[in-house]
Amino acid sequence: MSDPRDHALFARYLDGLATEAEGAELGRRLAADPACARAFAEASRLDASLGAHFRQEKGQSDVRAVLQRIQAGRTRRRIALFAATAAAALLIVLTPALWLRPAAPPVEVLAGNVVADGAEVTRIAYGVRFIVPGSGQAPLTLGDGSGASLDGGTAAAIHGPSGPLRQAVELFSGGGDFRVLKDTGRFEVRTPVGLVTVLGTEFTVRLRPRKPTDGRGDEAMRAKGMLLAVAVLTGAVQVQVGERAVVLGVGQSQVFAGDEERGPRTSRIGGELAAVGADSITIVQRGERGETTKTLAVDAQTKVVIESDQTEQVKGERGEPTYRVKLVDGTLGDLKVGRRVTVTCTEDGKATLIVLHRAKPRREGGEGEGERTPRVEKPRREGGDREGEKPRREGGEGDREGEPRREKVRTEGGDREGEARPDKPRREGGEGEREKPRREGGDSEGEGKPRVEKPRREGGDSEGEARPDKPRREGGEGERAPKPRVTPGILVGVKADSIVVRVGERGEQTLTFAVDAATEVAIEGVRLEGGGEGADPIKRPALIKGSLGDLKAGQRVSVQATADGKALKIFIHRSQAPKREGEGERKHFRPPDGGERKPPREGGDRKPPREGEAKPPREGGDAKPPVVDRGAEF
Amino acid sequence: MADRDAFLMLLLKNEADLRAFIGSLIRDRDAREDVFQEVALALWQQAERYDPSRPFGAWARGVAANKILQRRHQDKRFPIAFPPETILAVLDAFDRTEAEGPSRLEALRHCLAQLPEKARQLLALRYEQGLAVKEVAERTRHTLDAAYQALCRIRLALADCIRRRLAAQQEGAR
């Protein structure tokens, strides 16, 4: 038994009451006295066990609340992740019915409506696709005794044992709560977005479209891409999305983005038709640096839509009325030399969609494209409410199916790229681009393939300059080979999904690069080597791994980007560019803990922080931390 | 260790203890959740490296300790009170007091049932509702010190009860 004073110290520390001095004292005691450390380990285990025990109790008490809601006739319908406790409660509510019944193979419908092959069923055979109509849940007992309560609107199929697999639920749309019995063999929930693999655990899986489907069912969801939301109530699951696997533990939840590709990746080109052939079109893009031409293949599958003079009212994302220019179907025969178009094309140069714009008077202000329309600027709503616009919002919903995506209004510099006109086309039924939403903060959807945004010049990009193949630079010549390149410059804007870099000797030009979870950040710093015993440490250059959170306006960076403007790696250089005249104060980086970090010092190395002072991440840092060698890397 | 299912079972079995270890070093809830996620992912990715002949808990804690040391090294603002030598000492202490998960939990439940209702309510405020001790004091109309002392006494009593019960179980097993 260790000193009672130690226990008091443990308690103060574990209760969050310890002062800094007490924390330091505790640290010393733990390091110096193994008995004290063992007592601390036990106290910590008790503390953690109490937390786990009472959280579990809490879940049970929530059952009562949910029961009351059910008795009151209120239904639970939330597609988004709901609180784990509520989910647990529902599962527990259903548990007696689920688990006490004898398993009647293969799958028994305990309640609710389930329709297979056009008829309502009480048992479901393996491999048969079925739906849960309406809004109520349908609790099922699966062949292995596990339970699933599927939401109304779910389309699924259950698969029986096969090799190491004991049961699989294939979700085409919708979702549900799952309680998987611990047993040998794997239990899978297969979705178009990813694969959820579990042993004994409780969890929820829900698929949702990036945008409301207008009741067009799972096919629409499939066509548009989905989000997969997984929440774990007990145990753990592995979610495999693409090549990436994520393990979610108790109480954790995450949203995963589906593969954006159900076809080749596309890009858009705006410009003027210079030639129209039977199997190809040539587009001229005009910019400050002259003209570039692009020839794209067309065929019978190439869809042509024409902007009409009419507008139509559609429902916005939140059901609010929104107006847009009506598009009418056209044919390749409608394409005339000189007309302005926006072409969606695949990487191999095939035009899939051609939007033929109305002829517009040239806009004052000298933008590159000649047919720009003065427009009534509508305030852009956060999250991109306009259909077809590329929304940026948390949990973002993507483009609507069948709608050509509208070029985005750039906020920096005021000009928009291409034909960005809020009053312009969007048409139900067209063949829109399917691209990923971007989530602010982007924690959960890192698995997806965020849309690669073209680098854009601020302050006057023109339609003709919209080149998807590379960021443009001062003095750039025509087409260059599409390969990664490094662009040095000063970071002038940092967003969740893009950065803006000022380039050129005098910073006369800005480029926008798309960033996502895959974008690496490396911070140039120094590593201190040697030192101690009176000797000064030697500074050696070093790169340390950073994150997008380390990016701050004003930093000198080099951006290694793909030809289409996606930043692969960002190097943050140590010294920073002097502030330009008239430039605002740099934004201070606010770390996740809420504290305000000091703005980076002008011109170079940071001063070593004092003892106890809050410090920004070290660049290079001093001696490496000790490493526990247990045969694992970290 | 190639069998992913068995590995996942091990991970689940040791999850609570791994969380306890991480929580003993990192008191900030979000930060420790982050670290736990990173550790769980690292363990999963390195499942092949795990030698089943060795205790899984110790291996997992080693990975966790390394992750914490790494985070501490990279970010001085990382909310951890202890220097590396203390982290290693705590790691060693956890290894030496490897918990018997199920029996310990069972003992905890048994001992909680022995507590007076008032004591259970106090613990529920602290652990179920996740209130800080100060908030517990406000709810129960006690001073901060009184609430803290009461919680300390209850936990000490619980720890003592658990110890006795585990010892009795071991005695009975012989």
Side-chain angles (χ1 to χ4, degrees), chain A residues 186-217:
Chain A
R186 223 168 46 237
F187 186 106
E188 292 179 350
V189 179
R190 302 167 184 166
T191 78
V193 177
L195 176 68
V196 183
T197 307
V198 294
L199 290 177
T201 186
E202 293 173 69
F203 62 101
T204 73
V205 173
R206 284 186 167 75
L207 285 166
R208 59 179 175 144
R210 292 158 185 277
K211 199 147 186 168
T213 58
D214 298 335
R216 281 178 289 181

PDB file of all heavy atoms in Angstrom, chain A residues 186-217:
ATOM      1  N   ARG A 186     -16.779 -14.402 -39.626  1.00  0.00           N
ATOM      2  CA  ARG A 186     -16.878 -12.958 -39.836  1.00  0.00           C
ATOM      3  C   ARG A 186     -18.305 -12.549 -40.133  1.00  0.00           C
ATOM      4  O   ARG A 186     -19.053 -13.279 -40.789  1.00  0.00           O
ATOM      5  CB  ARG A 186     -15.993 -12.593 -41.029  1.00  0.00           C
ATOM      6  CG  ARG A 186     -15.188 -11.358 -40.830  1.00  0.00           C
ATOM      7  CD  ARG A 186     -14.128 -11.166 -41.877  1.00  0.00           C
ATOM      8  NE  ARG A 186     -14.567 -11.381 -43.236  1.00  0.00           N
ATOM      9  CZ  ARG A 186     -14.006 -12.255 -44.046  1.00  0.00           C
ATOM     10  NH1 ARG A 186     -13.014 -13.001 -43.632  1.00  0.00           N
ATOM     11  NH2 ARG A 186     -14.432 -12.380 -45.289  1.00  0.00           N
ATOM     12  N   PHE A 187     -18.660 -11.403 -39.654  1.00  0.00           N
ATOM     13  CA  PHE A 187     -19.959 -10.822 -39.985  1.00  0.00           C
ATOM     14  C   PHE A 187     -19.675  -9.549 -40.758  1.00  0.00           C
ATOM     15  O   PHE A 187     -18.899  -8.699 -40.307  1.00  0.00           O
ATOM     16  CB  PHE A 187     -20.719 -10.508 -38.692  1.00  0.00           C
ATOM     17  CG  PHE A 187     -22.128 -10.042 -38.920  1.00  0.00           C
ATOM     18  CD1 PHE A 187     -23.207 -10.876 -38.663  1.00  0.00           C
ATOM     19  CD2 PHE A 187     -22.392  -8.759 -39.386  1.00  0.00           C
ATOM     20  CE1 PHE A 187     -24.513 -10.441 -38.866  1.00  0.00           C
ATOM     21  CE2 PHE A 187     -23.689  -8.320 -39.599  1.00  0.00           C
ATOM     22  CZ  PHE A 187     -24.757  -9.166 -39.336  1.00  0.00           C
ATOM     23  N   GLU A 188     -20.284  -9.426 -41.904  1.00  0.00           N
ATOM     24  CA  GLU A 188     -19.998  -8.254 -42.731  1.00  0.00           C
ATOM     25  C   GLU A 188     -21.274  -7.492 -43.047  1.00  0.00           C
ATOM     26  O   GLU A 188     -22.339  -8.088 -43.187  1.00  0.00           O
ATOM     27  CB  GLU A 188     -19.371  -8.676 -44.068  1.00  0.00           C
ATOM     28  CG  GLU A 188     -17.991  -9.252 -43.952  1.00  0.00           C
ATOM     29  CD  GLU A 188     -17.445  -9.670 -45.314  1.00  0.00           C
ATOM     30  OE1 GLU A 188     -18.203  -9.680 -46.311  1.00  0.00           O
ATOM     31  OE2 GLU A 188     -16.254 -10.008 -45.352  1.00  0.00           O
ATOM     32  N   VAL A 189     -21.115  -6.213 -43.158  1.00  0.00           N
ATOM     33  CA  VAL A 189     -22.165  -5.396 -43.766  1.00  0.00           C
ATOM     34  C   VAL A 189     -21.525  -4.769 -45.002  1.00  0.00           C
ATOM     35  O   VAL A 189     -20.558  -4.008 -44.898  1.00  0.00           O
ATOM     36  CB  VAL A 189     -22.677  -4.304 -42.814  1.00  0.00           C
ATOM     37  CG1 VAL A 189     -23.742  -3.471 -43.522  1.00  0.00           C
ATOM     38  CG2 VAL A 189     -23.267  -4.926 -41.555  1.00  0.00           C
ATOM     39  N   ARG A 190     -22.008  -5.150 -46.144  1.00  0.00           N
ATOM     40  CA  ARG A 190     -21.425  -4.663 -47.395  1.00  0.00           C
ATOM     41  C   ARG A 190     -22.264  -3.499 -47.907  1.00  0.00           C
ATOM     42  O   ARG A 190     -23.497  -3.602 -47.967  1.00  0.00           O
ATOM     43  CB  ARG A 190     -21.416  -5.765 -48.445  1.00  0.00           C
ATOM     44  CG  ARG A 190     -20.650  -7.001 -48.010  1.00  0.00           C
ATOM     45  CD  ARG A 190     -20.953  -8.151 -48.952  1.00  0.00           C
ATOM     46  NE  ARG A 190     -20.304  -9.374 -48.510  1.00  0.00           N
ATOM     47  CZ  ARG A 190     -20.615 -10.574 -48.976  1.00  0.00           C
ATOM     48  NH1 ARG A 190     -21.569 -10.704 -49.882  1.00  0.00           N
ATOM     49  NH2 ARG A 190     -19.989 -11.638 -48.532  1.00  0.00           N
ATOM     50  N   THR A 191     -21.621  -2.459 -48.252  1.00  0.00           N
ATOM     51  CA  THR A 191     -22.327  -1.308 -48.805  1.00  0.00           C
ATOM     52  C   THR A 191     -21.595  -0.848 -50.056  1.00  0.00           C
ATOM     53  O   THR A 191     -20.432  -1.206 -50.258  1.00  0.00           O
ATOM     54  CB  THR A 191     -22.369  -0.134 -47.805  1.00  0.00           C
ATOM     55  OG1 THR A 191     -21.097   0.524 -47.805  1.00  0.00           O
ATOM     56  CG2 THR A 191     -22.716  -0.600 -46.398  1.00  0.00           C
ATOM     57  N   PRO A 192     -22.234  -0.063 -50.856  1.00  0.00           N
ATOM     58  CA  PRO A 192     -21.539   0.435 -52.050  1.00  0.00           C
ATOM     59  C   PRO A 192     -20.351   1.323 -51.690  1.00  0.00           C
ATOM     60  O   PRO A 192     -19.449   1.509 -52.490  1.00  0.00           O
ATOM     61  CB  PRO A 192     -22.615   1.256 -52.772  1.00  0.00           C
ATOM     62  CG  PRO A 192     -23.914   0.755 -52.242  1.00  0.00           C
ATOM     63  CD  PRO A 192     -23.648   0.317 -50.847  1.00  0.00           C
ATOM     64  N   VAL A 193     -20.360   1.853 -50.487  1.00  0.00           N
ATOM     65  CA  VAL A 193     -19.267   2.742 -50.085  1.00  0.00           C
ATOM     66  C   VAL A 193     -18.105   1.975 -49.494  1.00  0.00           C
ATOM     67  O   VAL A 193     -16.942   2.234 -49.795  1.00  0.00           O
ATOM     68  CB  VAL A 193     -19.773   3.789 -49.067  1.00  0.00           C
ATOM     69  CG1 VAL A 193     -18.623   4.669 -48.594  1.00  0.00           C
ATOM     70  CG2 VAL A 193     -20.872   4.631 -49.690  1.00  0.00           C
ATOM     71  N   GLY A 194     -18.410   1.032 -48.645  1.00  0.00           N
ATOM     72  CA  GLY A 194     -17.339   0.307 -47.987  1.00  0.00           C
ATOM     73  C   GLY A 194     -17.865  -0.927 -47.280  1.00  0.00           C
ATOM     74  O   GLY A 194     -19.069  -1.200 -47.270  1.00  0.00           O
ATOM     75  N   LEU A 195     -16.926  -1.627 -46.703  1.00  0.00           N
ATOM     76  CA  LEU A 195     -17.239  -2.898 -46.058  1.00  0.00           C
ATOM     77  C   LEU A 195     -17.037  -2.747 -44.555  1.00  0.00           C
ATOM     78  O   LEU A 195     -15.988  -2.293 -44.100  1.00  0.00           O
ATOM     79  CB  LEU A 195     -16.294  -3.970 -46.615  1.00  0.00           C
ATOM     80  CG  LEU A 195     -16.402  -5.359 -46.005  1.00  0.00           C
ATOM     81  CD1 LEU A 195     -17.726  -5.997 -46.372  1.00  0.00           C
ATOM     82  CD2 LEU A 195     -15.250  -6.228 -46.480  1.00  0.00           C
ATOM     83  N   VAL A 196     -18.048  -3.126 -43.799  1.00  0.00           N
ATOM     84  CA  VAL A 196     -17.947  -3.079 -42.340  1.00  0.00           C
ATOM     85  C   VAL A 196     -17.796  -4.512 -41.860  1.00  0.00           C
ATOM     86  O   VAL A 196     -18.645  -5.358 -42.134  1.00  0.00           O
ATOM     87  CB  VAL A 196     -19.203  -2.441 -41.724  1.00  0.00           C
ATOM     88  CG1 VAL A 196     -19.050  -2.341 -40.214  1.00  0.00           C
ATOM     89  CG2 VAL A 196     -19.460  -1.065 -42.329  1.00  0.00           C
ATOM     90  N   THR A 197     -16.704  -4.781 -41.176  1.00  0.00           N
ATOM     91  CA  THR A 197     -16.443  -6.132 -40.676  1.00  0.00           C
ATOM     92  C   THR A 197     -16.474  -6.103 -39.160  1.00  0.00           C
ATOM     93  O   THR A 197     -15.859  -5.251 -38.538  1.00  0.00           O
ATOM     94  CB  THR A 197     -15.062  -6.624 -41.139  1.00  0.00           C
ATOM     95  OG1 THR A 197     -14.989  -6.486 -42.553  1.00  0.00           O
ATOM     96  CG2 THR A 197     -14.850  -8.073 -40.763  1.00  0.00           C
ATOM     97  N   VAL A 198     -17.191  -7.041 -38.583  1.00  0.00           N
ATOM     98  CA  VAL A 198     -17.338  -7.022 -37.133  1.00  0.00           C
ATOM     99  C   VAL A 198     -17.243  -8.418 -36.569  1.00  0.00           C
ATOM    100  O   VAL A 198     -17.404  -9.414 -37.273  1.00  0.00           O
ATOM    101  CB  VAL A 198     -18.711  -6.451 -36.734  1.00  0.00           C
ATOM    102  CG1 VAL A 198     -18.817  -5.014 -37.102  1.00  0.00           C
ATOM    103  CG2 VAL A 198     -19.832  -7.241 -37.364  1.00  0.00           C
ATOM    104  N   LEU A 199     -17.002  -8.454 -35.277  1.00  0.00           N
ATOM    105  CA  LEU A 199     -17.222  -9.687 -34.517  1.00  0.00           C
ATOM    106  C   LEU A 199     -18.422  -9.386 -33.645  1.00  0.00           C
ATOM    107  O   LEU A 199     -19.389  -8.869 -34.107  1.00  0.00           O
ATOM    108  CB  LEU A 199     -15.957 -10.053 -33.745  1.00  0.00           C
ATOM    109  CG  LEU A 199     -14.826 -10.520 -34.653  1.00  0.00           C
ATOM    110  CD1 LEU A 199     -13.594 -10.804 -33.851  1.00  0.00           C
ATOM    111  CD2 LEU A 199     -15.254 -11.753 -35.431  1.00  0.00           C
ATOM    112  N   GLY A 200     -18.339  -9.715 -32.379  1.00  0.00           N
ATOM    113  CA  GLY A 200     -19.489  -9.413 -31.535  1.00  0.00           C
ATOM    114  C   GLY A 200     -19.524  -7.940 -31.187  1.00  0.00           C
ATOM    115  O   GLY A 200     -18.609  -7.418 -30.589  1.00  0.00           O
ATOM    116  N   THR A 201     -20.554  -7.277 -31.584  1.00  0.00           N
ATOM    117  CA  THR A 201     -20.627  -5.849 -31.297  1.00  0.00           C
ATOM    118  C   THR A 201     -22.006  -5.322 -31.659  1.00  0.00           C
ATOM    119  O   THR A 201     -22.821  -5.997 -32.255  1.00  0.00           O
ATOM    120  CB  THR A 201     -19.546  -5.089 -32.085  1.00  0.00           C
ATOM    121  OG1 THR A 201     -19.555  -3.742 -31.690  1.00  0.00           O
ATOM    122  CG2 THR A 201     -19.787  -5.161 -33.568  1.00  0.00           C
ATOM    123  N   GLU A 202     -22.255  -4.108 -31.259  1.00  0.00           N
ATOM    124  CA  GLU A 202     -23.474  -3.416 -31.675  1.00  0.00           C
ATOM    125  C   GLU A 202     -23.059  -2.166 -32.414  1.00  0.00           C
ATOM    126  O   GLU A 202     -22.184  -1.429 -31.959  1.00  0.00           O
ATOM    127  CB  GLU A 202     -24.302  -3.008 -30.460  1.00  0.00           C
ATOM    128  CG  GLU A 202     -24.883  -4.172 -29.696  1.00  0.00           C
ATOM    129  CD  GLU A 202     -25.533  -3.678 -28.417  1.00  0.00           C
ATOM    130  OE1 GLU A 202     -26.565  -3.012 -28.505  1.00  0.00           O
ATOM    131  OE2 GLU A 202     -24.976  -3.946 -27.350  1.00  0.00           O
ATOM    132  N   PHE A 203     -23.693  -1.937 -33.492  1.00  0.00           N
ATOM    133  CA  PHE A 203     -23.316  -0.767 -34.266  1.00  0.00           C
ATOM    134  C   PHE A 203     -24.454  -0.393 -35.213  1.00  0.00           C
ATOM    135  O   PHE A 203     -25.397  -1.160 -35.398  1.00  0.00           O
ATOM    136  CB  PHE A 203     -22.031  -1.042 -35.069  1.00  0.00           C
ATOM    137  CG  PHE A 203     -22.179  -2.135 -36.074  1.00  0.00           C
ATOM    138  CD1 PHE A 203     -22.362  -1.830 -37.414  1.00  0.00           C
ATOM    139  CD2 PHE A 203     -22.159  -3.457 -35.701  1.00  0.00           C
ATOM    140  CE1 PHE A 203     -22.519  -2.832 -38.349  1.00  0.00           C
ATOM    141  CE2 PHE A 203     -22.324  -4.466 -36.625  1.00  0.00           C
ATOM    142  CZ  PHE A 203     -22.497  -4.156 -37.949  1.00  0.00           C
ATOM    143  N   THR A 204     -24.331   0.764 -35.748  1.00  0.00           N
ATOM    144  CA  THR A 204     -25.319   1.199 -36.732  1.00  0.00           C
ATOM    145  C   THR A 204     -24.612   1.507 -38.038  1.00  0.00           C
ATOM    146  O   THR A 204     -23.474   1.980 -38.030  1.00  0.00           O
ATOM    147  CB  THR A 204     -26.073   2.466 -36.290  1.00  0.00           C
ATOM    148  OG1 THR A 204     -25.200   3.577 -36.397  1.00  0.00           O
ATOM    149  CG2 THR A 204     -26.562   2.361 -34.872  1.00  0.00           C
ATOM    150  N   VAL A 205     -25.273   1.212 -39.105  1.00  0.00           N
ATOM    151  CA  VAL A 205     -24.740   1.542 -40.424  1.00  0.00           C
ATOM    152  C   VAL A 205     -25.842   2.233 -41.203  1.00  0.00           C
ATOM    153  O   VAL A 205     -26.981   1.753 -41.230  1.00  0.00           O
ATOM    154  CB  VAL A 205     -24.307   0.266 -41.184  1.00  0.00           C
ATOM    155  CG1 VAL A 205     -23.926   0.608 -42.615  1.00  0.00           C
ATOM    156  CG2 VAL A 205     -23.145  -0.398 -40.489  1.00  0.00           C
ATOM    157  N   ARG A 206     -25.522   3.338 -41.770  1.00  0.00           N
ATOM    158  CA  ARG A 206     -26.529   4.016 -42.597  1.00  0.00           C
ATOM    159  C   ARG A 206     -25.888   4.584 -43.840  1.00  0.00           C
ATOM    160  O   ARG A 206     -24.818   5.184 -43.769  1.00  0.00           O
ATOM    161  CB  ARG A 206     -27.216   5.111 -41.793  1.00  0.00           C
ATOM    162  CG  ARG A 206     -28.197   4.498 -40.841  1.00  0.00           C
ATOM    163  CD  ARG A 206     -29.044   5.484 -40.104  1.00  0.00           C
ATOM    164  NE  ARG A 206     -30.131   4.757 -39.458  1.00  0.00           N
ATOM    165  CZ  ARG A 206     -29.986   4.001 -38.371  1.00  0.00           C
ATOM    166  NH1 ARG A 206     -28.813   3.898 -37.807  1.00  0.00           N
ATOM    167  NH2 ARG A 206     -31.007   3.361 -37.859  1.00  0.00           N
ATOM    168  N   LEU A 207     -26.578   4.337 -44.912  1.00  0.00           N
ATOM    169  CA  LEU A 207     -26.157   4.938 -46.167  1.00  0.00           C
ATOM    170  C   LEU A 207     -27.046   6.129 -46.423  1.00  0.00           C
ATOM    171  O   LEU A 207     -28.244   6.074 -46.165  1.00  0.00           O
ATOM    172  CB  LEU A 207     -26.344   3.952 -47.315  1.00  0.00           C
ATOM    173  CG  LEU A 207     -25.330   2.828 -47.391  1.00  0.00           C
ATOM    174  CD1 LEU A 207     -25.844   1.764 -48.332  1.00  0.00           C
ATOM    175  CD2 LEU A 207     -24.001   3.352 -47.852  1.00  0.00           C
ATOM    176  N   ARG A 208     -26.472   7.146 -46.892  1.00  0.00           N
ATOM    177  CA  ARG A 208     -27.321   8.263 -47.267  1.00  0.00           C
ATOM    178  C   ARG A 208     -26.775   8.908 -48.518  1.00  0.00           C
ATOM    179  O   ARG A 208     -25.560   8.888 -48.756  1.00  0.00           O
ATOM    180  CB  ARG A 208     -27.431   9.289 -46.156  1.00  0.00           C
ATOM    181  CG  ARG A 208     -26.111   9.852 -45.744  1.00  0.00           C
ATOM    182  CD  ARG A 208     -26.350  10.867 -44.667  1.00  0.00           C
ATOM    183  NE  ARG A 208     -25.086  11.352 -44.159  1.00  0.00           N
ATOM    184  CZ  ARG A 208     -24.891  12.592 -43.780  1.00  0.00           C
ATOM    185  NH1 ARG A 208     -25.840  13.461 -43.878  1.00  0.00           N
ATOM    186  NH2 ARG A 208     -23.730  12.966 -43.303  1.00  0.00           N
ATOM    187  N   PRO A 209     -27.643   9.466 -49.289  1.00  0.00           N
ATOM    188  CA  PRO A 209     -27.172  10.141 -50.497  1.00  0.00           C
ATOM    189  C   PRO A 209     -26.504  11.435 -50.102  1.00  0.00           C
ATOM    190  O   PRO A 209     -26.736  11.972 -49.022  1.00  0.00           O
ATOM    191  CB  PRO A 209     -28.450  10.405 -51.284  1.00  0.00           C
ATOM    192  CG  PRO A 209     -29.509  10.475 -50.230  1.00  0.00           C
ATOM    193  CD  PRO A 209     -29.092   9.558 -49.151  1.00  0.00           C
ATOM    194  N   ARG A 210     -25.683  11.924 -50.989  1.00  0.00           N
ATOM    195  CA  ARG A 210     -25.069  13.205 -50.720  1.00  0.00           C
ATOM    196  C   ARG A 210     -26.100  14.312 -50.744  1.00  0.00           C
ATOM    197  O   ARG A 210     -25.905  15.367 -50.229  1.00  0.00           O
ATOM    198  CB  ARG A 210     -24.022  13.508 -51.776  1.00  0.00           C
ATOM    199  CG  ARG A 210     -22.888  12.576 -51.649  1.00  0.00           C
ATOM    200  CD  ARG A 210     -22.159  12.523 -52.944  1.00  0.00           C
ATOM    201  NE  ARG A 210     -21.142  11.522 -52.840  1.00  0.00           N
ATOM    202  CZ  ARG A 210     -19.972  11.739 -52.300  1.00  0.00           C
ATOM    203  NH1 ARG A 210     -19.666  12.906 -51.838  1.00  0.00           N
ATOM    204  NH2 ARG A 210     -19.090  10.792 -52.227  1.00  0.00           N
ATOM    205  N   LYS A 211     -27.154  14.064 -51.431  1.00  0.00           N
ATOM    206  CA  LYS A 211     -28.210  15.061 -51.528  1.00  0.00           C
ATOM    207  C   LYS A 211     -29.529  14.308 -51.512  1.00  0.00           C
ATOM    208  O   LYS A 211     -29.609  13.171 -51.942  1.00  0.00           O
ATOM    209  CB  LYS A 211     -28.048  15.812 -52.852  1.00  0.00           C
ATOM    210  CG  LYS A 211     -28.758  17.116 -52.842  1.00  0.00           C
ATOM    211  CD  LYS A 211     -27.980  18.100 -53.684  1.00  0.00           C
ATOM    212  CE  LYS A 211     -28.632  19.437 -53.529  1.00  0.00           C
ATOM    213  NZ  LYS A 211     -27.857  20.499 -54.046  1.00  0.00           N
ATOM    214  N   PRO A 212     -30.590  14.941 -51.024  1.00  0.00           N
ATOM    215  CA  PRO A 212     -31.868  14.240 -51.016  1.00  0.00           C
ATOM    216  C   PRO A 212     -32.214  13.688 -52.382  1.00  0.00           C
ATOM    217  O   PRO A 212     -31.936  14.298 -53.411  1.00  0.00           O
ATOM    218  CB  PRO A 212     -32.855  15.328 -50.604  1.00  0.00           C
ATOM    219  CG  PRO A 212     -32.047  16.289 -49.825  1.00  0.00           C
ATOM    220  CD  PRO A 212     -30.686  16.276 -50.444  1.00  0.00           C
ATOM    221  N   THR A 213     -32.834  12.546 -52.373  1.00  0.00           N
ATOM    222  CA  THR A 213     -33.020  11.849 -53.638  1.00  0.00           C
ATOM    223  C   THR A 213     -34.347  12.126 -54.314  1.00  0.00           C
ATOM    224  O   THR A 213     -34.653  11.553 -55.336  1.00  0.00           O
ATOM    225  CB  THR A 213     -32.936  10.333 -53.410  1.00  0.00           C
ATOM    226  OG1 THR A 213     -33.949  10.006 -52.455  1.00  0.00           O
ATOM    227  CG2 THR A 213     -31.593   9.930 -52.924  1.00  0.00           C
ATOM    228  N   ASP A 214     -35.139  12.950 -53.706  1.00  0.00           N
ATOM    229  CA  ASP A 214     -36.459  13.218 -54.263  1.00  0.00           C
ATOM    230  C   ASP A 214     -37.242  11.930 -54.423  1.00  0.00           C
ATOM    231  O   ASP A 214     -37.974  11.740 -55.378  1.00  0.00           O
ATOM    232  CB  ASP A 214     -36.359  13.906 -55.644  1.00  0.00           C
ATOM    233  CG  ASP A 214     -35.664  15.234 -55.521  1.00  0.00           C
ATOM    234  OD1 ASP A 214     -35.699  15.796 -54.414  1.00  0.00           O
ATOM    235  OD2 ASP A 214     -35.097  15.682 -56.523  1.00  0.00           O
ATOM    236  N   GLY A 215     -37.005  11.023 -53.498  1.00  0.00           N
ATOM    237  CA  GLY A 215     -37.773   9.797 -53.506  1.00  0.00           C
ATOM    238  C   GLY A 215     -37.471   8.881 -54.663  1.00  0.00           C
ATOM    239  O   GLY A 215     -38.266   8.021 -54.996  1.00  0.00           O
ATOM    240  N   ARG A 216     -36.315   9.082 -55.264  1.00  0.00           N
ATOM    241  CA  ARG A 216     -36.052   8.245 -56.422  1.00  0.00           C
ATOM    242  C   ARG A 216     -35.386   6.938 -56.046  1.00  0.00           C
ATOM    243  O   ARG A 216     -34.953   6.192 -56.883  1.00  0.00           O
ATOM    244  CB  ARG A 216     -35.213   9.013 -57.428  1.00  0.00           C
ATOM    245  CG  ARG A 216     -36.061   9.975 -58.216  1.00  0.00           C
ATOM    246  CD  ARG A 216     -35.233  10.761 -59.152  1.00  0.00           C
ATOM    247  NE  ARG A 216     -34.410  11.713 -58.439  1.00  0.00           N
ATOM    248  CZ  ARG A 216     -33.594  12.545 -59.018  1.00  0.00           C
ATOM    249  NH1 ARG A 216     -33.495  12.538 -60.313  1.00  0.00           N
ATOM    250  NH2 ARG A 216     -32.875  13.387 -58.327  1.00  0.00           N
ATOM    251  N   GLY A 217     -35.278   6.719 -54.743  1.00  0.00           N
ATOM    252  CA  GLY A 217     -34.881   5.402 -54.303  1.00  0.00           C
ATOM    253  C   GLY A 217     -33.401   5.129 -54.415  1.00  0.00           C
ATOM    254  O   GLY A 217     -32.599   5.995 -54.666  1.00  0.00           O
TER     255      GLY A 217
END
